[in-house]
Amino acid sequence: MPRSSQGVLLPPLANSHPRRADVYLALRDAVLQGTLARGERMPSSRKAATDYGVSRGLMEEVYAQLVDEGLLERVVGRGTFIAERAVKRTDPAVNGKAPQRVSSISTRGLKLAGNLACRFTHEFKPFNAGVADTTAFPWQIWQRIQARAVRDLRRADMNFTDPRGLPALRQSLAHHLAQLRGVRCVPEQVIIFNSIQQASYLLALLLTNPGDAAWVEDPGYPGTRAALELAGAAIVHVPVDRQGLQVEEGLRRAPHARLACVTPSHQFPCGFAMSAERRIALLEWAQKHEAWILEDDYDGEFGHARQPATPLHSLDQHARVLYLGTLSKSMFVSLRLAFAVVPEAMVEQLANIRTQLDAFNAPLIQLAMSRFMDEGHFSTHVRHMRNVYAEKAAVLTEGLKPLANHGWTWEKGTAGLQILLRHPNARQVQRTAEASGLEVHLLNSYRHKPADDDGLLLRFGGLSIPAIHLGVERLVSVAKSNGGS
């Protein structure tokens, strides 16, 4: 590992007029705690003395004592290094401080901190991997484009950049949305975020006052509820069926709600597309009550047996639908790029709120993403991944066929990166499946209140086909022995 010719940065001293003991204890504790790691090069005694404002003779004495204690070692012609045999202490009281405990947290804070809806696993196994498959990603192309983007970054891009997003990426997204999703917009309507979660939160802050009602699908994505709760909205759980959100029930429960949050193209987690009648009813409600619709098109590119469902935004004649999408689902999770299509006047307002949180997305990734789109690599990748996910869905549904005679059902011709498998005895099967090395979520975990119509959400996007084969074999075995008939 390359080391700086000047050595590491030394830990600060508590005393502005340090004595020899102050310098010695600071360096000793930094080595024992691992702040100064094994093999790292120390600055010369002259440079260290200058940094600490002490004499060089004092630093030589401290270095010599640490060498005698085996914490430093000197190599002739090279310098002074943290000894490879230096033992890191894990005692939390090494500085004389007791382990810290958090107290006096607010009731609101405890409630929010206890919500794990947006915490995701780092270990993928059947069936917890509803993320992009990166094995087929064109890494070499992406790396070349990133390298070009690094060379082309302007000095201005190294300072604060536009919180609305890089103009090049907004232009690319407007073109992409028109081609692949039928969403007609101009670049000035597009604003870039880190995630749909962030976009939902900022839109809720902008469009609702604390206590304003907001419709959410039930069952639905827990992250949407979390974003609305953070913003102080009053959650109104509206049931869904095979036609999507039950608009009439929403009207009965909260006709004057400010927001309706929906996944009309591929309802999460049930997988249905919202019917034309429900779409029209939802749009009419929004227009009549001057309400807003947040359309989460989280995996809209990935229809398997058919073309992806048309976004609700395409039917909106009165600019009441705010369209949310993500590139992390199409590319890779750590990309952290999402976007919203909103009325132009709203973009500036959202950008102003956004600067009070995290300011902007990294310009390098935005520039690389724009070029990846403009050069045709993104559309090629999406088309390829449609086939990849369709094949995985086919393998999974084929493997599930033995359960059809045991009372299990699932949606045929599904889309996206997950399948919902339904059965009243799903909870027992889930418990047994976990003991077999599987991880599946219950449909009831996405509901406001548990219901008898339970099921298992099988998320397969990031799994290999052999892993799907193995997982479905185990699941079928468990379900047959526990799922009834």
Side-chain angles (χ1 to χ4, degrees), residues 67-198:
V67 168
D68 290 342
E69 293 175 359
L71 300 180
L72 297 184
E73 56 186 16
R74 283 181 154 164
V75 181
V76 177
R78 292 184 58 204
T80 303
F81 298 84
I82 309 299
E84 292 291 343
R85 62 182 181 276
V87 178
K88 177 181 175 181
R89 289 180 57 180
T90 57
D91 181 3
V94 70
N95 280 334
K97 298 179 181 178
Q100 292 185 344
R101 290 180 174 84
V102 180
S103 61
S104 302
I105 294 178
S106 69
T107 301
R108 176 179 179 272
L110 286 172
K111 179 182 178 182
L112 295 174
N115 187 345
L116 302 179
C118 301
R119 292 294 293 267
F120 299 99
T121 182
H122 298 286
E123 179 187 0
F124 295 134
K125 54 186 177 181
F127 288 95
N128 68 356
V131 298
D133 181 347
T134 58
T135 58
F137 186 77
W139 288 111
Q140 290 184 336
I141 293 174
W142 176 251
Q143 288 165 357
R144 287 199 300 269
I145 289 176
Q146 272 201 306
R148 283 167 37 210
V150 169
R151 291 194 298 269
D152 294 344
L153 275 181
R154 303 169 301 157
R155 185 179 298 274
D157 293 325
M158 301 176 72
N159 297 317
F160 287 99
T161 56
D162 194 335
R164 297 170 298 182
L166 218 62
L169 180 55
R170 297 168 74 195
Q171 174 73 48
S172 302
L173 274 167
H175 182 67
H176 153 74
L177 290 171
Q179 279 197 337
L180 291 184
R181 298 299 291 128
V183 172
R184 304 290 177 179
C185 63
V186 295
E188 290 75 20
Q189 291 178 259
V190 179
I191 180 169
I192 308 300
F193 295 104
N194 288 309
S195 64
I196 289 180
Q197 188 75 22
Q198 183 188 49

Side-chain angles (χ1 to χ4, degrees), residues 39-58:
E40 287 193 310
R41 180 176 179 171
M42 296 289 288
S44 68
S45 58
R46 185 188 303 276
K47 182 68 174 64
T50 301
D51 290 347
Y52 277 155
V54 298
S55 69
R56 184 182 179 189
L58 183 151

Side-chain angles (χ1 to χ4, degrees), residues 306-329:
R306 50 179 167 73
Q307 280 292 314
T310 301
L312 186 64
H313 186 279
S314 302
L315 305 176
D316 181 20
Q317 301 296 317
H318 302 283
R320 307 309 302 179
V321 177
L322 311 175
Y323 179 86
L324 310 180
T326 177
L327 296 171
S328 299
K329 210 76 163 177

Side-chain angles (χ1 to χ4, degrees), residues 403-404 406-410 421-423 425-426 429 455-456 479-480 483-484:
L403 296 183
H406 293 262
W408 293 83
T409 61
W410 57 93
L421 185 63
R422 291 177 180 265
H423 194 279
N425 201 30
V429 173
L456 304 174
K480 279 184 174 181

Side-chain angles (χ1 to χ4, degrees), residues 246-305:
Q246 295 180 15
V247 179
E248 289 187 1
E249 185 61 22
L251 287 168
R252 189 185 69 80
R253 297 185 181 189
H256 299 288
R258 289 287 295 152
L259 285 176
C261 302
V262 293
T263 52
S265 294
H266 186 219
Q267 201 279 328
F268 185 92
C270 296
F272 308 129
M274 184 181 286
S275 68
E277 292 78 11
R278 294 276 177 85
R279 290 172 183 244
I280 292 170
L282 186 61
L283 290 169
E284 289 177 346
W285 162 78
Q287 180 192 2
K288 178 180 179 180
H289 294 277
E290 295 187 346
W292 298 98
I293 301 169
L294 267 60
E295 177 179 15
D296 181 350
D297 197 24
Y298 64 98
D299 64 356
E301 289 96 350
F302 300 124
H304 301 331

Side-chain angles (χ1 to χ4, degrees), residues 232-243:
I235 308 298
V236 179
H237 299 90
V238 182
V240 299
D241 56 25
R242 296 183 66 86
Q243 297 185 63

